[in-house]
Amino acid sequence: MTTDLTAKRPVRVRFAPSPTGPLHIGGVRTCLYNYLFARQHGGQLIFRIEDTDTQRFVPGAEEYILEAFRWLGIGFDEGVSFGGDKGPYRQSERRDIYRRYVRQLIDEGKAYYAFDTPEELNRKREEVPNFQYDASTRMQMRNSLTLPREEVERLIQDGTQYTVRFLIEPGEDVHVDDIIRGDVVINSSILDDKVLYKSADDLPTYHLANIVDDHLMEVSHVIRGEEWLPSAPLHVLLYRAFGWQDTMPRFAHLPLLLKPDGKGKLSKRDGDKFGFPVFPLLWRDPATGNISRGYREDGYLPQAVVNFLALLGWNPGTDEELLSMEELISQFRLEKCSKNGAKFDFVKGWWFNREYLLRQTDRELAPSFQAVLREQGIEATEEQAAEVIGLMKTKVIEYPDPQNPAAMKKRNVSFAGDLWPLCDFFFRAPQTFDREDKFIRKNWTETSAREMTALADRLEQLADFSAEAQKQAIDPWVKAEALKPWNAWRICLVGKGQGPDMYALAAFLGREETVRRMRFAVEMLG
Ligand code: GLU
């Protein structure tokens, strides 16, 4: 079914981030789609670092990106830190290669030197409305098309800074054959003579480096975000200028990720406003020290993040939503991706996390809950953590509505962190009892102190304190005496009207702690 996409050549795709900061969640989805496509066709996924913009380089970004994909279980076959025979895979280490290709275009008259200083360019912009460096203006500028040859040579020899610009012929319809969008046509007259190389840092710009590398690394498909679509006609023209049109990769520009309300592009601000991360991992900005939250640190499971992202812009065409990586690899269809932006439904993200949470055993979940407890200064064993998880993971929590923090909303427990406010009493005895509390007012009656003392006396006698043994001993007594001790007992052990089955809770606390809490409550409430 998809063979037509790959008939001509082996599948080789790349993820090519610029290390300018933490990787945005949209970039994670782009890489995931590349990964699914590569695996599905038995191809390779290359990790290339596009660091030709030295101004925007941020230390630590490359390591961050690699760490994020390790966490998500998205593996590369080749590239920075993975090796391969088409390297180096970091663009700043490929200067010699780019110099050769820039030369080639100049020698063939397809690119030219431009000596215009930033001041000269600014002056021109003020003089000419909507100035663009193109066929209509290039002959008024200081470049190798207008200056005598000797002067060009002299300027270069003298070390004058220059750029190399791509000479674009106007008036041609340029076709981009996009797997998702079909035939995208742009007239070359709207394109400017893009800068391909800057002598000041002896580096090419993104466009040239990107095309040269895709060619040399034998990339078969360029799968990337929609924000790169406007560059695609230029890229098509560059392939042609080099004579590489026959091995030009096929393009697929993925839909944008939109704000939760669908109005505009998803931004970090949306995440701050609604309380969800837009980065895979926590990021500490090395310049400002500012912290941005991450999916990993917020307690998401990597499988849940992968599944959630996979369905933002594509769906299997069935009602099935829970898909493992293997299922995604076999079901994903690049040509079925949507053209329209995908709303970032973070509540759906919670849902995915809950589903994956419930698919784990209590034991598997224990370490993340232990970490939550540790933050509260509580050291629990794995066994204790697992037991509490088992009792509480299907409960509902309340959380402040991000739209209106005064109001509370409800949702299912979806994260290990959700468990803490529900589970504090497992680890901390109630210290005080709020007599105004509705549950306490209603359920702590005249007879409660006497009944709780009697119950505590009985519990104290039990040799076996398991929930079943308690039940066997206490239920008949409760029945014979026609008592209803449950809510008062809950007040003793929990301090409020919450929590699991009382026998299960008492068994977790143990005989001594259970009886201690009961006698304390009797003393306090009388
Ligand atoms: N370096 C570009 C980025 O940061 C790559 C775009 C592309 O895939 O061509 O996304």
Side-chain angles (χ1 to χ4, degrees):
M1 224 176 93
T2 53
T3 43
D4 56 326
L5 291 185
T6 60
K8 282 203 234 132
R9 51 205 289 217
V11 167
R12 286 175 59 80
V13 291
R14 83 302 194 271
F15 182 64
S18 301
T20 55
L23 182 62
H24 189 272
I25 200 71
V28 177
R29 190 215 36 193
T30 296
C31 187
L32 172 63
Y33 282 15
N34 274 283
Y35 173 81
L36 297 176
F37 188 73
R39 286 290 167 275
Q40 159 173 105
H41 293 287
Q44 273 104 43
L45 172 59
I46 303 164
F47 182 64
R48 184 170 77 215
I49 285 289
E50 302 209 324
D51 56 349
T52 57
D53 189 344
T54 46
Q55 308 276 323
R56 297 185 59 216
F57 177 83
V58 173
E62 181 184 305
E63 293 73 19
Y64 172 98
I65 296 168
L66 284 166
E67 171 72 13
F69 291 118
R70 262 196 302 275
W71 176 62
L72 289 163
I74 294 174
F76 296 88
D77 304 291
E78 230 177 278
V80 172
S81 87
F82 302 100
D85 59 4
K86 301 209 158 40
Y89 293 91
R90 210 181 267 115
Q91 290 187 329
S92 58
E93 293 164 17
R94 297 170 64 81
R95 287 168 204 260
D96 293 347
I97 299 171
Y98 304 128
R99 254 184 242 128
R100 256 195 341 260
Y101 288 101
V102 172
R103 259 251 80 84
Q104 181 187 331
L105 290 182
I106 292 174
D107 290 349
E108 294 175 359
K110 293 166 179 164
Y112 59 91
Y113 296 106
F115 298 97
D116 319 271
T117 62
E119 296 74 38
E120 283 166 344
L121 285 168
N122 277 338
R123 221 172 305 134
K124 204 74 190 169
R125 280 192 197 104
E126 277 162 28
E127 192 185 308
V128 182
N130 302 323
F131 170 79
Q132 179 165 282
Y133 210 122
D134 61 15
S136 70
T137 56
R138 66 169 81 102
M139 298 314 283
Q140 308 160 26
M141 309 300 290
R142 284 207 320 128
N143 54 45
S144 56
L145 304 172
T146 59
L147 300 171
R149 197 195 165 98
E150 306 76 60
E151 190 172 350
V152 170
E153 272 161 22
R154 189 182 53 76
L155 284 168
I156 293 175
Q157 218 120 75
D158 291 353
T160 312
Q161 299 301 355
Y162 62 88
T163 60
V164 173
R165 286 182 180 269
F166 190 36
L167 195 149
I168 291 187
E169 303 291 356
E172 184 202 341
D173 278 341
V174 184
H175 293 260
V176 178
D177 169 27
D178 190 289
I179 292 169
I180 298 169
R181 287 150 210 279
D183 181 26
V184 179
V185 190
I186 284 183
N187 194 279
S188 64
S189 299
I190 69 164
L191 304 174
D192 65 333
D193 288 357
K194 273 276 174 310
V195 172
L196 299 179
Y197 173 87
K198 294 180 185 164
S199 70
D201 27 72
D202 182 24
L203 274 170
T205 57
Y206 154 73
H207 302 288
L208 183 101
N210 190 268
I211 269 42
V212 166
D213 287 352
D214 282 349
H215 174 72
L216 295 178
M217 295 174 188
E218 294 171 16
V219 168
S220 62
H221 297 76
V222 167
I223 304 169
R224 62 185 174 191
E226 179 178 321
E227 63 274 27
W228 301 100
L229 184 59
S231 303
L234 170 71
H235 295 180
V236 169
L237 291 173
L238 273 168
Y239 282 108
R240 220 167 59 192
F242 281 117
W244 298 333
Q245 57 273 34
D246 293 341
T247 54
M248 185 166 78
R250 295 207 60 191
F251 291 102
H253 290 93
L254 304 174
L256 278 180
L257 294 186
L258 303 177
K259 295 180 184 304
D261 66 6
K263 293 180 190 145
K265 208 174 128 182
L266 177 70
S267 73
K268 176 158 150 36
R269 273 229 236 112
D270 303 310
D272 294 342
K273 180 167 148 205
F274 294 106
F276 64 86
V278 298
F279 301 117
L281 313 178
L282 183 137
W283 168 257
R284 189 168 187 284
D285 189 305
T288 62
N290 285 348
I291 302 272
S292 303
R293 60 204 287 180
Y295 277 84
R296 181 176 65 182
E297 290 73 13
D298 269 19
Y300 285 80
L301 297 167
Q303 309 90 305
V305 176
V306 163
N307 195 159
F308 171 51
L309 289 179
L311 297 186
L312 288 174
W314 169 82
N315 69 72
T318 64
D319 290 341
E320 224 178 317
E321 291 186 292
L322 291 167
L323 299 163
S324 67
M325 193 68 108
E326 275 60 48
E327 290 168 319
L328 289 171
I329 290 169
S330 71
Q331 296 186 29
F332 179 68
R333 292 289 175 269
L334 187 56
E335 70 278 23
K336 292 274 163 64
C337 287
S338 161
K339 287 195 258 296
N340 305 322
K343 268 192 227 173
F344 199 82
D345 183 356
F346 62 96
V347 173
K348 191 77 193 192
W350 297 345
W351 178 83
F352 274 108
N353 210 58
R354 169 180 159 78
E355 292 299 319
Y356 281 91
L357 210 71
L358 294 183
R359 272 169 181 68
Q360 298 215 341
T361 64
D362 299 338
R363 276 277 171 177
E364 284 168 331
L365 286 171
S368 28
F369 186 45
Q370 282 176 296
V372 171
L373 291 173
R374 214 164 292 131
E375 268 173 42
Q376 301 293 337
I378 292 164
E379 281 301 330
T381 64
E382 199 174 296
E383 200 181 336
Q384 288 172 319
E387 201 177 332
V388 174
I389 292 166
L391 292 169
M392 304 303 281
K393 68 182 173 189
T394 55
K395 303 268 181 205
V396 169
I397 64 151
E398 290 203 327
Y399 67 99
D401 181 356
Q403 306 271 47
N404 171 18
M408 296 301 279
K409 288 182 124 182
K410 286 191 167 136
R411 71 156 191 243
N412 289 316
V413 165
S414 308
F415 301 92
D418 286 347
L419 289 168
W420 168 247
L422 293 180
C423 298
D424 52 347
F425 55 83
F426 282 94
F427 305 96
R428 277 184 194 150
Q431 299 297 315
T432 54
F433 300 87
D434 176 7
R435 284 180 183 279
E436 296 309 306
D437 180 271
K438 243 166 85 194
F439 185 82
I440 296 184
R441 260 204 344 239
K442 178 155 178 257
N443 294 295
W444 192 268
T445 63
E446 305 271 85
T447 56
S448 293
R450 210 174 51 234
E451 279 173 26
M452 286 303 109
T453 302
L455 177 57
D457 292 343
R458 278 171 190 270
L459 291 170
E460 214 162 27
Q461 304 303 316
L462 294 182
D464 179 355
F465 207 66
S466 68
E468 304 78 59
Q470 291 178 52
K471 191 175 166 62
Q472 256 176 42
I474 303 301
D475 272 5
W477 171 68
V478 166
K479 206 165 164 211
E481 307 271 323
L483 300 173
K484 281 208 185 86
W486 313 119
N487 286 346
W489 195 15
R490 189 171 297 285
I491 292 169
C492 297
L493 300 192
V494 179
K496 54 192 177 236
Q498 273 186 12
D501 170 69
M502 291 311 296
Y503 291 134
L505 174 57
F508 176 88
L509 295 173
R511 185 175 43 225
E512 205 177 313
E513 174 67 6
T514 299
V515 169
R516 201 191 61 71
R517 286 191 190 188
M518 293 172 79
R519 302 220 191 277
F520 178 70
V522 167
E523 198 179 304
M524 297 291 284
L525 288 163

